[in-house]
Amino acid sequence: MEFLSSIVGLIPCFYDHTSKHTVYIRDLNKNLQALRKEMAKLNNLYEDVKAKVERAEERQMMRTKEVGGWICEVEVTVTEVKETLQKGDQEIRKRCLGCCPRNCWSSYKIGKAVSEKLVAVSGQIGNGHFDVVAEMLPRPPVDDLPMEATVGPQLAYEKSCRFLKDPQVGIMGLYGKGGVGKTTLLKKINNEFLATSNDFEVVIWAVVSKSPDIEKIQQVIWNKLEIPRDKWETRSSREEKAAEILRVLKRKRFILLLDDIWEGLDLLEMGVPRPDTENQSKIVLTTRSQDVCHQMKAQKSIEVECLESEDAWTLFRKEVGEEILNSHPDIPMLAKVVAEECRGLPLALVTLGRAMAAEKDPSNWDKAIQNLRKSPAEITELGLVLEVLTTAGIQLALCSGALSFLIGCRVGSCSTCSYSVGI
C-alpha cells in the first residue's frame, strides 16, 4: 500500500515532466554533488583570501570593505549550505527505490533550495578573486612620540598651551640653551593633542637640525599628509614638491612642530603656508637663539629656563637611583652638591646622574664635585661635564657617536649604541 501511495503521489509531479518544478526533484542528487564540489572550491578560495588579509593586517594594513563583505557573506553561506546539504541527504535517503520521493512538495522545496545555493556559491567563487585585499591604514592625525616622565619646565608648558589657543598667535618659538629641555617640551605639546580634543586635522613633527635638508623635511610632511605616491614621485624638483605640499596644506588646519632650528627657514620653500587668522594653523619651533624666533617672525617667544633646585634634585635622584644613594651615608649629601653644580641644566643632570648610577665610592663623588667647581660658574656645554667625569675617573658607557650628541647638546639617537638625547 505504501508503494501504491507513492505512485499516486507522483502523478501530479509527472503531469508536466518538462517543468522546472520537476527538474528540482529529478536533479536533486546531482545538484547535491555539484554543490559539495563548489563548496570545496569556495572554502579553498576563502582560506586563501583570509590568509592574504591576515598577512596584510600583520603589516598594519586594513582589509578593504569589498573583501570584508565577501568574507562575511561566505561565512554565512557555509552555515546555510551545511544545513541545506543535510536536508538534501535526508530527502534522498527517504526516497522509495532510491528515486521516488515520498512527498513531492517537500522534495521540490529542498531541490529548489539546493539549486539556488549552487548558483549563489558559484557567484561567490566568481566574486572572490581580488587584486587588492587590504590597504594601508590612514595615519592618525597625531603620532605618539616616546618620552619619559618630565620634570619641569611647567611654566613654559603652560604658556605654550595658552598661546596655542590664541588666534592671534600663528608662530611660536621656544628658545633656550642646549640641553635645557626644549625638545622634551615640544614632545609634550605634541602628545597633548592625543589626550585632548582639538580642531587640528593633522599634527606634523619634523627635526630640522643645524644643516637643514629641505627635501628631507618635505618627505616627512609628505608621509604625514599621505599624498599619493605616484603623484609625489612625479614631482622631481624641490619646487614641485613644495607646490604639492602647499596645495594640500592650504585646505587643512594643521600644526607643524619644528625641532632644533639653528637659522631662519623659508616656509614657502618647503611648501608650508604661513599661519594666519583665516587658516588658524600653527607652527611651534625650538631653537637655542631668540634671534631665530625673530627671523621666523614668531608672534610669541618663550624662554625655556633651567630647572629650579627642587626639580633639579628630583631629576638627578631619579637617574642615580635609590640603591646608590643608600649605598653609603655620605653619598646623599654629595649627590645633592653634584646636582647643584649642574645649575639646573636637565641634560647635564641626566648625563651625570646616569654616569654616577654605579658609583658607590664617595671619593669619586668628591672628585666630580671638585672638578665641577673648577669649571666656569655656569655649565653651557655638556662637553664640560664629560671632561669633569673623565678627570674624576668615571667613564660613560657610550660610543663616540653618542658622545658627539652629548658634547654638542644635540637632539637625536646614536645608531650604534641606541643612546638617545631628547632633552
Side-chain angles (χ1 to χ4, degrees), residues 86-302:
Q86 288 175 346
K87 290 180 178 179
D89 290 340
Q90 290 173 358
E91 180 62 29
I92 293 295
R93 286 195 296 270
K94 288 191 299 183
R95 285 186 170 185
C96 297
L97 304 178
C99 62
C100 299
R102 293 177 182 274
N103 186 314
C104 286
W105 177 244
S106 173
S107 186
Y108 160 74
K109 287 195 300 181
I110 294 172
K112 183 181 179 183
V114 171
S115 181
E116 288 174 347
K117 289 300 179 189
L118 182 58
V119 172
V121 169
S122 298
Q124 287 181 331
I125 292 172
N127 295 333
H129 300 279
F130 304 98
D131 294 327
V132 176
V133 298
E135 297 172 338
M136 292 299 297
L137 283 168
R139 291 193 63 169
V142 189
D143 290 326
D144 189 2
L145 299 179
M147 60 177 293
E148 296 182 7
T150 59
V151 179
Q154 188 62 24
L155 182 59
Y157 174 70
E158 290 172 358
K159 285 183 179 179
S160 301
C161 292
R162 187 165 66 252
F163 289 138
L164 282 173
K165 297 175 183 178
D166 187 343
Q168 301 302 317
V169 178
I171 300 178
M172 179 172 64
L174 307 174
Y175 70 93
K177 66 178 65 176
V180 78
K182 302 183 297 296
T183 297
T184 298
L185 177 56
L186 197 62
K187 284 184 176 181
K188 191 173 181 180
I189 292 171
N190 177 90
N191 291 351
E192 182 65 20
F193 289 108
L194 288 165
T196 59
S197 60
N198 60 83
D199 297 325
F200 293 105
E201 297 173 73
V202 61
V203 179
I204 306 168
W205 172 281
V207 178
V208 179
S209 73
K210 194 169 186 176
S211 301
D213 185 336
I214 299 301
E215 291 190 7
K216 186 176 179 180
I217 298 171
Q218 287 178 324
Q219 189 78 11
V220 171
I221 297 173
W222 165 69
N223 285 334
K224 192 64 182 177
L225 295 180
E226 296 183 321
I227 297 171
R229 181 175 294 276
D230 57 346
K231 187 174 290 188
W232 180 257
E233 289 178 347
T234 57
R235 272 59 174 173
S236 56
S237 70
R238 180 191 298 179
E239 291 74 18
E240 289 176 319
K241 291 177 178 178
E244 185 62 30
I245 291 172
L246 184 64
R247 183 186 66 80
V248 176
L249 281 182
K250 283 176 70 175
R251 301 199 306 267
K252 291 183 179 291
R253 188 179 181 190
F254 67 88
I255 179 166
L256 176 61
L257 306 175
L258 296 171
D259 190 33
D260 197 27
I261 295 183
W262 288 69
E263 58 187 28
L265 293 175
D266 185 341
L267 294 175
L268 288 177
E269 186 182 6
M270 296 186 293
V272 178
R274 184 169 288 276
D276 54 36
T277 53
E278 184 178 347
N279 60 35
Q280 296 187 351
S281 293
K282 304 283 184 180
I283 294 176
V284 185
L285 61 96
T286 68
T287 178
R288 295 192 185 190
S289 170
Q290 189 176 12
D291 289 340
V292 174
C293 297
H294 298 324
Q295 292 170 22
M296 294 295 294
K297 298 181 181 178
Q299 285 86 13
K300 290 293 178 181
S301 299
I302 300 172

Side-chain angles (χ1 to χ4, degrees), residues 52-80:
K52 289 179 182 178
V53 168
E54 288 173 351
R55 286 195 298 271
E57 290 175 340
E58 287 174 359
R59 300 195 302 272
Q60 305 302 310
M61 298 178 74
M62 178 176 64
R63 66 182 68 183
T64 64
K65 291 182 179 180
E66 182 184 21
V67 169
W70 182 85
I71 288 175
C72 289
E73 287 176 4
V74 171
E75 289 171 348
V76 171
T77 297
V78 168
T79 302
E80 293 178 348

